[in-house]
Amino acid sequence: MKTVRGLRRPPKDRGARHAWARRGAAAVLAAAVLAPPAAHAGPGPAPAAAAKPAFTAVNYAVAVDESASLADEDMAAEKAAAQRIALGDVSATSRVTVFGFAAAEAEGQSAVDPVCPRTTLDAAGRRTIGACVGKLRKRTEKEGTGTDFPSAIRQGVHELSTGTDPSVPRVLFLLTDGVLDVTGSPKYGDPAHREAEGERQLTAELENAAAHNVQIWPLGFGPRPDREQLDRIAAGGYQKGCVDLPSARPTADVVKSGAKDLGPKLEKVFAAAHCLRYEPGPEGERPPATLEIAISPLATVGSIVVDKGDAEVDITYIDPSGEPVPTTGKSRGSEFELAGAEDTVEALRITDPLPGTWKVRAEAPEGHRSLPVGVSVLWQGELRGAITMDPPSPQAGQKATVTMRLQTRDNYAVKDPRDYAGLKVTSSLTGDGFAPVPLTLTDDGEGPDPEASDASFTGTVQIPKSAAGALEVTGTLTASGLSADTRSEPGRVAPPEMPVTAALALDDADVHPGARITGDLAVTSTDDRPHTLRLSMADVRAGHLTVSPAEIVVAPGDSGTRKVTVEVAPAEVFGDRLGDDGLRLGATVTVVDAGTGGGDLTLVRDPLSVRVTPEPGLWEKYWWAAVTAAALVAAAAVAAFLLLGQRRRRRDPAGLVLQLVSETGDVVAEHRAGHGHKQWYEFAVVEPHRNPRIERRSNGPYAVQRSPEGGAVLRKRGGGRTRLPEHGQIRLTDDLSLGLAGPGPRPQGGGRTTTASTAPDGGAHTGGSYDAYL
């Protein structure tokens, strides 16, 4: 059914001593991400606030607790963390200082232990940092064993604010167990009042940090870190982050004893302080192995970080189109730079990365395959908006619906809600004759918003009765790691009686390149003079979609319907971006009545969603002919071959509906199996941590075939064969199980056809070895 548009309707991550550090290594080195480049030029209204990088460099200091309150393993974890943080940023203009701290408890002692002076992080600087961090150590009693937070913060603020550009963000990472102890330090007065004096000076130094625009991000180690003290320190420094969002304001975090969660904690802290988006990937596989990690279509620059465990592991990076990429230079519109190839952790920084699922292939010589490999990605990106008001030219006193749709910088529609998690949307209506009116736009499926988490934020506004003349609705998008974007849509208050009205009926579509989408434009004129309507496409990349005719002349008093055609660009225009899964284009069809009452009057501004998928191959087009020919040959064969054919058909997996089931019993993906190779349908589970789904893969790690007794048989690479009953599940990964939605229809000639709908029951129903059956 076609939808009438334009009327007043509601819109829709080496030996034992390094085990604790492997994750942390990958985590923080992932900060090898620079700010995004300038926005690409594109069609549609220019943003009122230019999209620009959050920053091009960061000045940061790393303060490492050397006090006696820390256990040996916690001191080792702090030391490793400081080194990884210092080595993590590949920006040649960022600068870092590293120092240890404890307390000065006797003459000749110092609370602060400088190990790495302010260092610019070019190639030579990174080598210097790697060596000097090794000087950090746990203090002995002769050196002072307390924990002097005021002195540590004072040192950090001094390093970050002396001789530095105030416009460059200043960040202090404080690695500690969070226990203030200056009771043995004479500089805090007589013993009875040292604790109170320490608290007083801590408060003063936090105020000083805030005054010098220094953020403090505490990270606690040890079995009993003082979380309350850490929270106080985080809240006492400078609070304004790279964006005005809670996620960018300094917060404290704690790494549990043994540093099991060191990697994820550090990665999240570093990402938050630097306004990066963070995606964890698979970990635990040993070479040779291929790991998959997704890069968002919003990313303008990203870093794929690989924790190799062993420096002898060799990594190959493969883009979503299946092509290996270079580790330096430019290729296929992207620019690459590899760091740390000779170390246990390496990071590939990619400018303008191809979005989709990347493969990281890890290979190693014999004797270097015992340690697991992990992968993660950090990125910064650009988010755009397309704003519409319905009706586009409302009358005074009328209610209008305002919608802000999210797009990539190339004007492709955003599909995954995780890409814009934490997004803040603000909007307002301004115009002649009234004060600005704030709007609330939501994507929660409530009220005027027709569907939750569809990357479309909707709200309503009552046009003031005093409105006359120009109108403008504005929306601003703000999110950590994404460049802010402001979009405005000008309009006019419509007269009480419209001389020409128009309504567009044009369906969203799934098409191939070069296709045409047709619709109808209903036009009614009550005027005694002709009107020229101009049709155009907005909020879409030039040349991707075109509308015709470009103009329609409406005669006086005319009423009728005009055909409207939207043409999709040929495949070569989309290039590699089309991929196997296609692209979703988000556009706005605009119809303007030119020269109405002293100016143009917009009659239609309707969103249009077009999913463009590649043309099917010969097999996809003519598979039915091959099946028909095979059936004729089978009909002419002798009885023995008929029996063999029947036995094979009983195992043919075609039609099996495979389900991925989460630990909570939710079905997160479904996939209909096709005809297999030698009766086995081979597949892989891709993006298990981000967007889990099943994809057909030759020589994949899993394969299924139909069981004559009902259900199916699952074959795991190196794991034997297991019966999968119709209502059962088999665990594939730590988080996902494989189930059947039902046996699915059998191929023709295979006996009965059964259709069953099964819901996950949360159990693991396995039937032991099934080799005997085969």
Side-chain angles (χ1 to χ4, degrees):
M1 179 180 297
K2 291 191 174 183
T3 302
V4 177
R5 307 183 182 205
L7 298 178
R8 299 175 182 91
R9 48 130 177 92
K12 312 218 186 162
D13 202 302
R14 230 170 223 265
R17 73 179 187 275
H18 289 305
W20 44 263
R22 288 196 297 268
R23 293 179 184 171
V28 183
L29 188 60
V33 181
L34 295 178
H40 288 204
K52 61 181 181 180
F55 51 84
T56 57
V58 176
N59 290 332
Y60 54 98
V62 185
V64 180
D65 194 335
E66 297 178 327
S67 66
S69 60
L70 288 162
D72 290 342
E73 66 174 359
D74 296 324
M75 181 64 234
E78 282 193 315
K79 184 175 177 179
Q83 184 175 11
R84 297 304 181 179
I85 289 175
L87 292 174
D89 197 332
V90 299
S91 169
T93 56
S94 288
R95 295 191 289 184
V96 64
T97 301
V98 181
F99 60 90
F101 71 94
E105 299 175 337
E107 186 178 353
Q109 295 179 357
S110 174
V112 175
D113 176 25
V115 293
C116 301
R118 186 184 302 168
T119 304
T120 301
L121 291 177
D122 52 19
R126 290 196 299 271
R127 286 194 297 268
T128 302
I129 291 293
C132 66
V133 168
K135 300 175 184 178
L136 291 166
R137 83 274 185 213
K138 182 178 178 180
R139 298 277 187 101
T140 66
E141 292 185 3
K142 295 181 180 181
E143 297 173 299
T145 59
T147 306
D148 188 345
F149 285 156
S151 292
I153 296 172
R154 186 183 303 116
Q155 179 72 17
V157 171
H158 172 77
E159 293 289 350
L160 292 169
S161 60
T162 303
T164 62
D165 185 346
S167 67
V168 179
R170 299 165 175 175
V171 180
L172 171 60
F173 292 96
L174 186 67
L175 310 185
T176 177
D177 63 356
V179 179
L180 174 64
D181 180 12
V182 293
T183 56
S185 181
K187 64 179 287 187
Y188 287 91
D190 65 272
H193 299 93
R194 287 174 184 172
E195 183 177 352
E197 178 62 14
E199 293 288 347
R200 189 196 67 79
Q201 290 197 27
L202 176 58
T203 299
E205 293 306 329
L206 291 174
E207 293 174 351
N208 186 49
H212 286 85
N213 296 352
V214 176
Q215 290 189 352
I216 307 176
W217 294 75
L219 186 59
F221 289 78
R224 292 178 300 276
D226 188 340
R227 182 57 185 261
E228 183 178 354
Q229 186 74 267
L230 296 178
D231 288 338
R232 175 191 172 194
I233 293 172
Y238 187 60
Q239 294 301 293
K240 187 176 179 180
C242 43
V243 293
D244 186 18
L245 290 173
S247 61
R249 288 196 281 270
T251 56
D253 214 331
V254 173
V255 176
K256 296 178 181 178
S257 181
K260 180 181 179 181
D261 57 350
L262 173 64
K265 292 288 188 183
L266 277 176
E267 202 150 26
K268 291 179 181 179
V269 168
F270 207 66
H274 287 63
C275 274
L276 307 176
R277 310 288 283 192
Y278 161 64
E279 290 290 343
E283 58 181 54
E285 297 191 46
R286 291 169 172 78
T290 299
L291 299 84
E292 296 183 342
I293 189 75
I295 294 184
S296 167
L298 301 181
T300 56
V301 60
S303 182
I304 300 177
V305 182
V306 185
D307 179 2
K308 303 184 293 186
D310 190 317
E312 294 300 317
V313 174
D314 183 67
I315 301 297
T316 302
Y317 300 88
I318 303 171
D319 70 20
S321 68
E323 295 293 328
V325 300
T327 55
T328 185
K330 298 181 179 180
S331 176
R332 299 159 64 89
S334 302
E335 186 171 355
F336 303 91
E337 180 183 310
L338 182 67
E342 298 179 355
D343 297 325
T344 59
V345 178
E346 67 176 57
L348 181 67
R349 183 173 64 88
I350 313 171
T351 303
D352 292 329
L354 192 64
T357 302
W358 286 67
K359 295 179 175 63
V360 177
R361 190 166 61 214
E363 299 172 300
E366 292 286 350
H368 297 273
R369 301 176 179 175
S370 62
L371 297 178
V373 177
V375 62
S376 61
V377 64
L378 275 85
W379 55 276
Q380 285 183 323
E382 183 180 333
L383 183 65
R384 289 187 175 183
I387 194 166
T388 58
M389 183 164 58
D390 183 21
S393 299
Q395 296 171 343
Q398 185 178 6
K399 182 181 286 188
T401 300
V402 177
T403 301
M404 187 82 156
R405 292 174 290 120
L406 307 186
Q407 296 182 326
T408 71
R409 59 181 171 148
D410 294 323
N411 295 111
Y412 300 133
V414 177
K415 296 180 287 185
D416 193 337
R418 285 169 294 190
D419 286 338
Y420 60 91
L423 177 67
K424 177 182 178 182
V425 181
T426 57
S427 181
S428 66
L429 175 72
T430 58
D432 296 337
F434 63 94
V437 179
L439 280 73
T440 300
L441 306 183
T442 63
D443 186 21
D444 55 6
E446 308 250 339
D449 186 63
E451 184 178 348
S453 302
D454 64 346
S456 184
F457 290 74
T458 308
T460 59
V461 62
Q462 192 86 26
I463 308 301
K465 292 184 179 180
S466 60
L471 292 174
E472 186 173 62
V473 62
T474 302
T476 299
L477 309 174
T478 308
S480 182
L482 299 173
S483 295
D485 184 33
T486 296
R487 296 281 159 164
S488 298
E489 176 60 29
R492 286 175 53 203
V493 177
E497 295 295 332
M498 297 277 288
V500 176
T501 59
L504 178 67
L506 184 64
D507 283 343
D508 296 339
D510 285 4
V511 297
H512 302 306
R516 294 186 174 185
I517 308 163
T518 60
D520 297 315
L521 181 68
V523 181
T524 300
S525 173
T526 59
D527 202 3
D528 57 1
R529 63 183 184 87
H531 286 253
T532 299
L533 307 187
R534 295 174 181 166
L535 285 68
S536 61
M537 301 295 297
D539 305 317
V540 67
R541 196 165 187 175
H544 282 184
L545 297 175
T546 55
V547 61
S548 61
E551 289 189 352
I552 296 176
V553 177
V554 182
D558 190 13
S559 178
T561 301
R562 309 291 197 276
K563 287 293 181 184
V564 174
T565 301
V566 174
E567 186 170 354
V568 183
E572 54 267 23
V573 173
F574 300 105
D576 295 335
R577 299 271 171 175
L578 192 58
D580 293 334
D581 297 330
L583 289 170
R584 187 169 295 278
L585 306 180
T588 303
V589 186
T590 300
V591 181
V592 175
D593 185 359
T596 300
D600 294 348
L601 190 66
T602 303
L603 304 182
V604 175
R605 267 190 64 83
D606 285 356
L608 178 66
S609 177
V610 180
R611 183 170 179 261
V612 185
T613 56
E615 284 280 359
L618 290 176
W619 169 253
E620 293 169 300
K621 284 185 176 180
Y622 304 112
W623 64 269
W624 56 270
V627 172
T628 301
L632 293 173
V633 171
V638 297
F641 288 100
L642 286 174
L643 180 62
L644 177 61
Q646 184 182 31
R647 182 180 178 187
R648 288 180 175 175
R649 284 192 297 274
R650 292 171 66 195
R651 301 180 182 178
D652 194 335
L656 289 173
V657 180
L658 309 179
Q659 294 182 326
L660 289 181
V661 183
S662 70
E663 289 182 305
T664 60
D666 296 325
V667 177
V668 297
E670 282 192 351
H671 179 85
R672 184 177 294 275
H675 299 280
H677 174 65
K678 296 182 179 181
Q679 315 307 313
W680 288 101
Y681 183 82
E682 298 171 320
F683 66 93
V685 177
V686 301
E687 295 188 61
H689 299 278
R690 172 180 168 88
N691 183 24
R693 62 187 185 275
I694 293 173
E695 287 187 2
R696 184 170 188 166
R697 298 282 177 88
S698 298
N699 301 314
Y702 309 105
V704 294
Q705 68 174 202
R706 198 182 296 271
S707 168
E709 289 81 16
V713 178
L714 174 68
R715 184 184 73 193
K716 295 183 180 181
R717 183 188 296 161
R721 299 165 183 173
T722 306
R723 172 81 183 279
L724 177 59
E726 291 183 10
H727 296 275
Q729 297 176 28
I730 298 176
R731 185 168 294 277
L732 297 183
T733 70
D734 290 339
D735 303 318
L736 297 172
S737 297
L738 179 72
L740 289 178
R746 292 175 180 266
Q748 290 188 356
R752 64 185 178 91
T753 298
T754 303
T755 301
S757 179
T758 62
D761 61 6
H765 305 290
T766 59
S769 174
Y770 207 62
D771 290 334
Y773 158 68
L774 298 159

